[in-house]
Amino acid sequence: KGGLALLREKPTIVFGVDVNHPPPSSSKPSFSALVATMDAECSQYYSIVGAQSARKELVDLKDKVRTCLRKFAEKNRAPPQRIIFFRDGVANNQFANECQEEIRAIKEAAFEEGGADYVPELLYIVVQQRTRMRFAAVDTRTGEVPRGQQGNVPCCTVVDQDVVSRTPDGQAPNNFYFVGQHGLKGTCRPTHYHILSNDTNATLEDVERLTADLCFLYARATKVVSRPAPVYYAHRAAFLAQYYEPNYREIGDSW
């Protein structure tokens, strides 16, 4: 159980969402991107991009999610019974407002698309890349760094104890650090994952296995990457969206 098996237990759609912001001094809008899997192998995606207010992180998801749910149902002849949502680029101080608003929008989209009898399971995960945490591999017998690894831990290393964030009562919430990539140069930066909503029967270990499996499915790389493929595709789509604006100009262009 766990890993990509979660996508085969029942019809499951996996979302990736990211927002690309302009430089602080720019008046250009921000661009959001939502990608959604259309099959159990996560090889086919439906993408939606759009402009929004500059520096705004909250994404208006309801109509976008409804469209993706409809496209999934048309292709698979059945609506998804499970929604797995990877949200990139959100800080801890946005969990209570922006993230809860997006979770509410996802559930409202499902209700408006399928009615009161349609209540798909929701697994909402925040992906944080800019972390200060670092992990090193040390030979417990000699106390030295293994040769050839530059001190980096092996790819697909998971840390979900001791250093993870905790609640005020001392309980460890559902979050973990994950190093998916090989350390080719320098020190690997782990990605921090927070599970903010989980209506499924998936355990923390199941989500960790799913995250690891999705890191092997990014078609633009021949090696395992640091983040799940839907997150990478959303990041790429959000970045490229600016080039499709009718009045797009490179900085410094005079024509």
Side-chain angles (χ1 to χ4, degrees):
K1 189 175 179 295
L4 293 181
L6 288 175
L7 311 185
R8 302 186 178 99
E9 287 181 347
K10 57 184 64 178
T12 302
I13 186 170
V14 183
F15 287 95
V17 174
D18 195 12
V19 181
N20 181 262
H21 299 292
S25 59
S26 174
S27 60
K28 295 182 178 180
S30 295
F31 290 91
S32 65
L34 179 145
V35 302
T37 59
M38 294 287 112
D39 62 339
E41 285 72 36
C42 294
S43 61
Q44 301 178 30
Y45 288 81
Y46 187 84
S47 304
I48 301 175
V49 297
Q52 58 189 51
S53 302
R55 316 304 302 174
K56 178 185 177 184
E57 186 62 40
L58 178 65
V59 180
D60 186 6
L61 289 177
K62 185 186 295 185
D63 292 338
K64 297 180 177 66
V65 171
R66 283 194 65 184
T67 300
C68 293
L69 295 177
R70 191 178 307 118
K71 293 294 183 180
F72 184 97
E74 291 174 356
K75 178 173 177 56
N76 297 276
R77 299 182 181 179
Q81 299 301 314
R82 176 180 288 158
I83 298 174
I84 300 177
F85 204 93
F86 286 96
R87 178 60 160 96
D88 193 15
V90 177
N92 289 50
N93 60 2
Q94 297 174 307
F95 288 177
N97 296 316
E98 283 85 347
C99 291
Q100 293 303 320
E101 181 65 27
E102 291 184 353
I103 291 172
R104 184 161 45 251
I106 296 169
K107 293 182 177 181
E108 290 177 358
F111 174 80
E112 293 182 6
E113 184 64 24
D117 295 333
Y118 177 57
V119 186
E121 300 173 352
L122 174 61
L123 178 60
Y124 183 99
I125 307 167
V126 169
V127 183
Q128 294 180 331
Q129 305 169 56
R130 294 182 177 89
T131 64
R132 295 185 178 182
M133 188 67 67
R134 298 293 184 273
F135 300 109
V138 178
D139 191 322
T140 56
R141 295 171 300 177
T142 64
E144 298 179 353
V145 174
R147 294 182 61 185
Q149 292 187 20
Q150 297 86 40
N152 282 311
V153 295
C155 70
C156 295
T157 293
V158 175
V159 178
D160 57 12
Q161 298 179 12
D162 299 327
V163 296
V164 296
S165 57
R166 294 181 176 272
T167 58
D169 59 359
Q171 298 297 318
N174 287 334
N175 69 92
F176 60 94
Y177 288 94
F178 180 74
V179 180
Q181 71 275 30
H182 291 283
L184 300 179
K185 184 177 181 181
T187 303
C188 291
R189 175 182 290 178
T191 303
H192 199 181
Y193 295 83
H194 300 262
I195 303 174
L196 300 189
S197 179
N198 185 5
D199 302 330
T200 73
N201 59 354
T203 64
L204 182 62
E205 183 179 357
D206 295 335
V207 178
E208 292 167 352
R209 290 180 179 275
L210 173 65
T211 301
D213 288 351
L214 290 175
C215 288
F216 284 87
L217 299 180
Y218 185 48
R220 300 183 73 244
T222 58
K223 295 181 174 65
V224 58
V225 293
S226 60
R227 289 164 286 161
V231 176
Y232 257 106
Y233 290 134
H235 178 80
R236 184 70 176 168
F239 175 75
L240 294 178
Q242 59 185 314
Y243 299 114
Y244 292 91
E245 285 288 284
N247 58 346
Y248 172 78
R249 290 291 184 276
E250 290 282 358
I251 297 176
D253 283 350
S254 59
W255 47 272

